[in-house]
């Protein structure tokens, strides 16, 4: 099945199913129109798919071979160049159509800049948004655009979605004040530990949308991303949190955003691909 506003791309190397019968449905969003520092997130979806070629589909940690799971890949969104709102509208329409034909589908967005998570959240209407990010993304507007990547969590908060953020180490005083005013829970990267994560996420209403802005990781893991920040989290810290979430909360959708890069085999894409396989593996463990 072809969706409006999508086109065929490089696929994962193992057998895929049609979206109508899938549990996991991958959608790339090659948009980086509001990237404010390091460009290239438009190549993220292709770079991550290519990086998966390097990985075993068998996830040792879970004794799960994700090649045996019902995964579909519906290609990339045809973006509206320079327009984050219109592109997010297309993301929303595609995911809405996907859920119409397959209510059991769990959309997995591969970005592309973080502004595009808004379209997925608008389509899926989760009760909560759990995000790993170096940045609060709570700006009212940035570079004259309220749909800039630096504003995405504010737009989502305005939808009435409960938010919890982890790995934060960058924002403005206004964003910190907005978080306090709206009771948005967030943990600074230097204070992060698993206990802090569970304490804040346990009371969140379900379903939960899980967003990973790849810049949450330490720079050594993600040198190619839109707004890099030193002092990030370790890979297994985020995987451990993701495993808890998958075990304990209903997940409405998942994304890995802000993967940039210009060359195949980019370190950032390899980090994202490993995270993608662990998410699908954790979801597939004893659960399908
Ligand atoms: N959510 C984000 N990625 N925020 C980054 C916004 C850009 C801040 N640049 C620094 C401005 C002052 N030099
Ligand atoms: Mn972000
Ligand atoms: Mn960020």
């Amino acid at each position: 099945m072809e969706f409006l506003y999508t086109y065929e791309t490089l696929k994962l190397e193992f057998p895929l199913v049609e979206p109508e019968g899938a549990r996991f449905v991958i959608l790339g969003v090659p948009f980086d129109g509001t990237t404010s520092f390091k460009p290239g997130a438009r190549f993220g979806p292709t770079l991550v798919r290519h990086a998966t070629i390097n990985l075993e589909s068998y996830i040792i940690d879970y004794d799960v071979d994700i090649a045996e799971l019902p995964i579909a890949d519906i290609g990339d969104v045809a973006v509206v160049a320079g327009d984050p709102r219109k592109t997010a509208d297309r993301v929303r329409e595609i995911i809405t159509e996907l859920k119409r034909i397959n209510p059991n589908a769990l959309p997995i967005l591969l970005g592309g800049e973080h502004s595009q998570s808004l379209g997925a959240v608008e389509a899926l209407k989760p009760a909560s948004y759990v995000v790993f990010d170096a940045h609060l993304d709570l700006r009212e507007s940035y570079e004259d655009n309220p749909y800039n990547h630096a504003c995405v969590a504010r737009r989502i908060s305005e939808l009435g979605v409960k938010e919890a953020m982890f790995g934060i180490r960058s924002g403005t005083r206004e964003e910190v004040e907005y978080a306090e005013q709206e009771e948005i829970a967030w943990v600074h990267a230097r204070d992060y530990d698993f206990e802090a994560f569970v304490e804040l996420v346990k009371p969140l209403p379900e379903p939960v949308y899980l967003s990973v802005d790849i810049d949450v990781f330490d720079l050594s893991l993600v040198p190619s991303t839109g707004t890099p920040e030193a002092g990030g989290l370790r890979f297994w810290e985020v995987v451990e949190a993701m495993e808890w979430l998958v075990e304990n909360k209903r997940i409405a959708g998942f994304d890995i955003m802000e993967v940039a890069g210009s060359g195949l085999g980019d370190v950032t894409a390899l980090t994202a691909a490993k995270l993608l396989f662990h998410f699908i593996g954790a979801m597939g463990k004893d659960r399908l």
Side-chain angles (χ1 to χ4, degrees):
M1 171 182 181
E2 287 284 310
F3 287 78
L4 189 60
Y5 305 132
T6 63
Y7 54 87
E8 280 293 296
T9 60
L10 179 75
K11 293 282 192 248
L12 302 187
E13 65 162 341
F14 41 75
L16 295 170
V17 301
E18 286 303 307
E20 292 85 347
R23 174 66 177 115
F24 309 101
V25 179
I26 293 170
L27 171 65
V29 191
F31 183 84
D32 61 8
T34 77
T35 296
S36 46
F37 184 70
K38 196 169 185 179
R42 67 180 65 187
F43 303 124
T46 295
L47 291 172
V48 172
R49 291 188 178 101
H50 177 268
T52 65
I53 295 171
N54 177 53
L55 304 179
E56 298 290 359
S57 59
Y58 175 67
I59 314 297
I60 288 179
D61 320 45
Y62 312 135
D63 186 21
V64 169
D65 189 334
I66 65 172
E68 296 165 1
L69 300 178
I71 303 171
D73 185 335
I74 58 175
D76 282 358
V77 177
V79 305
V80 179
D83 192 325
R85 176 67 272 182
K86 285 184 179 166
T87 302
D89 288 341
R90 291 185 169 185
V91 172
R92 186 187 64 245
E93 287 178 42
I94 293 164
I95 293 179
T96 301
E97 175 64 4
L98 169 64
K99 294 296 282 185
R100 188 188 62 76
I101 66 157
N102 178 0
N104 188 41
L106 192 159
I108 299 177
L109 232 58
L110 296 180
E113 65 171 57
H114 215 171
S115 61
Q116 296 309 300
S117 300
L118 178 61
V121 169
E122 287 172 335
L124 297 167
K125 300 180 176 57
S128 305
Y129 173 75
V130 172
V131 59
F132 283 86
D133 201 324
H135 307 88
L136 287 167
D137 289 357
L138 290 171
R139 285 179 181 251
E140 167 57 31
S141 177
Y142 188 61
E143 298 187 333
D144 283 342
N145 194 326
Y147 295 101
N148 182 285
H149 65 94
C151 313
V152 63
R154 183 114 173 202
R155 300 292 83 80
I156 290 171
S157 167
E158 291 164 352
L159 296 174
V161 179
K162 196 79 183 124
E163 295 184 316
M165 308 177 167
F166 302 92
I168 301 295
R169 52 204 188 270
S170 175
T172 61
R173 180 176 292 118
E174 196 273 333
E175 289 177 272
V176 172
E177 289 167 353
Y178 179 84
E180 198 167 336
Q181 163 200 312
E182 297 301 314
E183 296 180 343
I184 295 170
W186 63 274
V187 177
H188 195 292
R190 62 193 309 170
D191 302 323
Y192 177 86
D193 62 24
F194 182 63
E195 290 64 36
F197 171 80
V198 173
E199 184 186 341
L200 287 181
V201 175
K202 190 174 279 186
L204 288 180
E206 297 173 275
V208 172
Y209 184 94
L210 173 60
S211 181
V212 177
D213 180 330
I214 207 74
D215 65 29
V216 71
F217 290 110
D218 192 77
L219 267 186
S220 56
L221 294 171
V222 290
S224 309
T225 186
T227 46
E229 292 267 349
L233 303 188
R234 292 191 303 273
F235 183 79
W236 297 114
E237 284 182 311
V238 177
V239 170
E240 183 185 35
M242 194 171 70
E243 290 167 347
W244 187 93
L245 211 58
V246 162
E247 282 282 337
N248 295 280
K249 295 285 182 182
R250 274 183 302 116
I251 309 292
F254 175 57
D255 67 34
I256 303 177
M257 308 304 276
E258 298 288 354
V259 174
S262 52
L264 297 179
D266 187 291
V267 166
T268 308
L270 287 163
T271 299
K274 186 78 173 168
L275 190 70
L276 172 66
F277 274 25
H278 266 72
F279 173 79
I280 296 174
M283 284 292 294
K285 186 167 168 280
D286 321 321
R287 218 169 273 103
L288 291 183

